């Protein structure tokens, strides 16, 4: 059975807190929550299920958005039509990044932000992220383009940062010769 997640709104204090590192082994509850998030994000990106369960499409979620200030992020990345790569990363750290910056042309969205926020969010075009999988094994992911944006967006959640904090108020929109828009 599918259980829709109760995702907190940006007004909740958990969204502004710095989350704590997670120790291993993971609790049974945390493992279950991770599986629920994967299912929720996957369904949210499949039109039929998104409609059936009234889900707003999203490719990533961080534990603080569920009221748990633990450093765990989940990304469900559609790589082909309804084909998804799942990333679960615990205690993630960006260990290196490109010089090049990019931004999502239509701006970013967040499952905790239930309103339109206009403006470009400048982020690294490529990042290398290190962290741990659910079993506590060290893992490393090299991400580029939209996947790189997702990692940076989700890791920000662990530090209480929301995407619109990074929109330059004096210059909210970039042209393609300032920052590559994807
Ligand atoms: Ni978000």
């Amino acid at each position: 059975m599918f259980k829709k997640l109760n995702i907190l709104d940006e007004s909740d204090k958990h969204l502004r807190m710095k989350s704590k590192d997670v120790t291993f082994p993971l609790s049974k509850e945390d493992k279950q929550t991770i599986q629920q998030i994967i299912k929720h994000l996957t369904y949210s990106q499949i039109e039929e299920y998104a409609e059936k369960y009234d889900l707003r499409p999203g490719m990533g979620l961080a534990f603080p958005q569920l009221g748990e200030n633990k450093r765990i992020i989940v990304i469900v990345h559609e790589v082909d039509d309804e084909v998804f790569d799942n990333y679960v990363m615990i205690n993630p750290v960006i260990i290196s990044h490109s010089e090049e910056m990019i931004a999502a042309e239509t701006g970013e969205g967040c499952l905790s932000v239930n309103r339109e926020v206009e403006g470009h969010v400048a982020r690294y075009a490529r990042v290398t992220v290190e962290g741990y999988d659910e079993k506590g094994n060290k893992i490393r992911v090299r991400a580029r383009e939209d996947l790189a944006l997702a990692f940076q967006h989700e890791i920000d959640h662990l530090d209480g940062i929301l995407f619109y904090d990074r929109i330059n108020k004096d210059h909210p929109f970039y042209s393609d010769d300032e920052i590559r828009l994807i």
Side-chain angles (χ1 to χ4, degrees), residues 54-166:
D54 189 28
L55 306 175
R56 196 148 68 83
M59 71 181 283
L61 200 82
F63 261 51
Q65 294 177 270
L66 302 176
E68 301 207 51
N69 287 99
K70 299 175 179 178
R71 299 188 81 83
I72 304 177
I73 62 170
V74 178
I75 294 169
V76 175
H77 185 217
E78 189 171 26
V79 289
D80 203 345
D81 196 26
E82 295 186 4
V83 179
F84 300 94
D85 278 348
N86 301 336
Y87 298 89
V88 174
M89 205 179 272
I90 295 148
N91 304 337
V93 177
I94 295 171
I95 57 158
S96 66
H97 60 78
S98 61
E99 285 284 318
E100 190 196 7
M101 307 291 283
I102 56 174
E105 187 162 19
T106 54
E108 291 187 15
C110 177
L111 293 175
S112 292
V113 180
N114 296 297
R115 61 193 171 98
E116 283 293 318
V117 181
E118 296 212 323
H120 291 143
V121 183
R123 298 197 188 269
Y124 303 119
R126 296 171 294 285
V127 290
T128 301
V129 186
E130 250 181 28
Y132 297 86
D133 68 12
E134 289 167 83
K135 291 180 180 144
N137 302 309
K138 192 144 201 173
I139 52 171
R140 178 181 287 196
V141 175
R142 287 188 185 82
R144 56 193 292 279
E145 305 295 305
D146 58 336
L147 184 61
L149 299 185
F151 268 99
Q152 291 166 83
H153 177 119
E154 299 312 328
I155 290 171
D156 270 352
H157 275 304
L158 305 181
D159 295 317
I161 299 167
L162 294 172
F163 73 90
Y164 53 78
D165 300 345
R166 296 194 181 277

Side-chain angles (χ1 to χ4, degrees), residues 30-59:
D30 286 346
K31 285 183 188 168
Q32 281 174 352
T33 303
I34 288 167
Q35 291 312 309
Q36 278 182 5
I37 295 173
I38 291 172
K39 198 160 185 181
H40 184 111
L41 294 175
T42 306
Y43 275 18
S44 83
Q45 296 179 72
I46 299 173
E47 211 178 327
E48 181 194 342
Y49 292 112
E51 265 180 37
K52 185 175 176 188
Y53 297 110
D54 189 28
L55 306 175
R56 196 148 68 83
M59 71 181 283

